[in-house]
């Protein structure tokens, strides 16, 4: 019997983690949401971690634009709280799987970023997430795992895919940026990969460090929107390409968020499936409701 603690279990990824772990034989799972556990409270985190073999941290400040105006608060959740979790894990010998982001990179590359590429976040959200990564590396050099993901979508939260389908029912045409490149990643597929990595870590098969948890391949937001429409039987030509300059937002976005996946082979795991394959499987279910 292995004892898992999942933080942020009420969110999109956390909900999918619980679904995956629910089918995991021999796993006893403790579920905590923001209402159950304040991850910025070191004493509460220490008490929650006690008695567990592995902690998956899916909690975090995810409002990228609001982080620009509230950087200290965002950094407390995405940085200080991660240090609290890492400290508690170090004290008990538990392993930590922490979910991070492509936003730790500058986003000005042309080739996929390897796991050891120098970091240079361009916004407050990225700076806070990088502080969390650094805390894991410093406090848990042998038992800390950072999994960077990007362009996440899923059933249990607001995201680009559900937004596109909602807008499809409201507008004849949509303008979507075609100059940001990334890897749309299904949260359920990422949850499965996190559980597999956790199992490998507990078995001593996976080295600690940074992993890139994104789908294979690449596209743009425009390409993703067209794919969503096509898979739902809608006319992809209703999507019109535009540039990021037309949609100025408080926080700068990386223009290039394509990641390499080299380190999975060290854990005996293949890279994640292609983004279009993931999207096809995700939209074959009952969510979101077609329009």
């Amino acid at each position: 019997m292995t004892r898992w603690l999942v933080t942020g279990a009420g969110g999109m990824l956390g909900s999918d983690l619980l679904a995956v772990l629910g089918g995991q034989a021999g796993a006893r799972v403790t579920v905590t949401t923001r209402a159950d556990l304040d991850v910025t409270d070191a004493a509460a985190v220490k008490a929650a971690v006690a008695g567990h073999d592995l902690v998956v941290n899916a909690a975090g400040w995810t409002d990228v634009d609001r982080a620009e105006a509230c950087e200290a608060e965002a950094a407390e959740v995405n940085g200080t709280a991660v240090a609290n979790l890492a400290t508690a894990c170090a004290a008990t010998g538990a392993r930590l799987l922490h979910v991070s982001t492509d936003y730790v990179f500058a986003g000005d590359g042309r080739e996929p970023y390897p796991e050891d590429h120098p970091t240079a976040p361009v916004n407050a959200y990225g700076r806070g997430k990088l502080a969390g990564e650094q805390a894991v590396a410093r406090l848990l050099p042998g038992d800390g795992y950072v999994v960077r993901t990007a362009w996440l979508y899923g059933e249990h939260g607001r995201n680009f895919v559900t937004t596109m389908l909602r807008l499809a029912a409201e507008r004849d045409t949509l303008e979507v940026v075609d100059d940001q490149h990334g890897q749309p990643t299904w949260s359920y597929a990422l949850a499965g990969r996190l559980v597999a990595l956790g199992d490998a870590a507990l078995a001593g098969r996976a080295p600690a460090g940074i992993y890139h948890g994104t789908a294979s391949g690449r596209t743009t937001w425009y390409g993703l929107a067209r794919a969503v429409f096509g898979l739902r039987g809608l006319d992809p030509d209703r999507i019109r390409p535009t540039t990021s300059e037309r949609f100025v937002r408080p926080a700068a976005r990386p223009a290039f968020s394509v990641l390499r996946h080299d380190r999975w082979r060290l854990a005996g795991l293949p890279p994640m499936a292609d983004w279009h394959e993931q999207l096809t499987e995700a939209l074959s279910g009952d969510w979101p409701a077609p329009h």
Side-chain angles (χ1 to χ4, degrees), residues 97-149:
L97 268 64
H98 170 61
V99 180
S100 191
T101 175
D102 61 299
Y103 278 41
V104 299
F105 295 123
D108 56 358
R110 291 295 179 268
E111 296 296 326
Y113 289 110
E115 292 86 348
D116 61 355
H117 192 278
T119 53
V122 297
N123 56 37
Y125 172 75
R127 289 188 290 272
K129 294 297 282 188
L130 179 58
E133 289 192 7
Q134 292 168 338
V136 175
R138 182 178 69 254
L139 297 166
L140 285 173
D143 291 313
Y145 298 77
V146 170
V147 181
R148 293 174 179 146
T149 193

Side-chain angles (χ1 to χ4, degrees), residues 16-218:
D16 284 336
L17 277 165
L18 298 185
V20 173
L21 283 167
Q24 188 85 343
R28 188 173 68 195
V29 184
T30 301
V31 177
T32 63
T33 65
R34 183 168 57 182
D36 303 317
L37 176 64
D38 178 0
V39 289
T40 67
D41 183 335
V45 167
K46 181 179 179 181
V49 168
H52 292 91
D53 302 302
L54 189 143
V55 177
V56 185
N57 181 35
W61 180 296
T62 58
D63 190 332
V64 175
D65 287 326
R66 188 161 169 255
E68 290 298 305
C70 307
E71 183 163 2
E73 294 93 330
E76 187 175 13
V77 176
N78 290 339
T80 304
V82 182
N84 292 341
L85 287 163
T87 298
C89 287
T92 64
R95 292 168 175 83
L96 174 64
L97 268 64
H98 170 61
V99 180
S100 191
T101 175
D102 61 299
Y103 278 41
V104 299
F105 295 123
D108 56 358
R110 291 295 179 268
E111 296 296 326
Y113 289 110
E115 292 86 348
D116 61 355
H117 192 278
T119 53
V122 297
N123 56 37
Y125 172 75
R127 289 188 290 272
K129 294 297 282 188
L130 179 58
E133 289 192 7
Q134 292 168 338
V136 175
R138 182 178 69 254
L139 297 166
L140 285 173
D143 291 313
Y145 298 77
V146 170
V147 181
R148 293 174 179 146
T149 193
W151 291 32
L152 209 60
Y153 64 89
E155 181 177 2
H156 303 287
R158 292 186 301 171
N159 56 80
F160 182 85
V161 171
T162 54
T163 297
M164 287 299 100
L165 289 170
R166 175 177 57 80
L167 292 177
E170 301 172 359
R171 304 178 188 176
D172 293 332
T173 62
L174 300 173
E175 287 192 341
V176 180
V177 297
D178 196 29
D179 57 1
Q180 294 178 23
H181 300 259
Q183 297 158 309
T185 303
W186 185 20
S187 58
Y188 186 81
L190 176 60
R193 178 49 54 96
L194 288 169
V195 171
L197 179 60
D199 285 338
L202 291 168
R205 299 193 306 268
I210 295 170
Y211 295 77
H212 283 166
T214 53
S216 299
R218 69 175 78 176

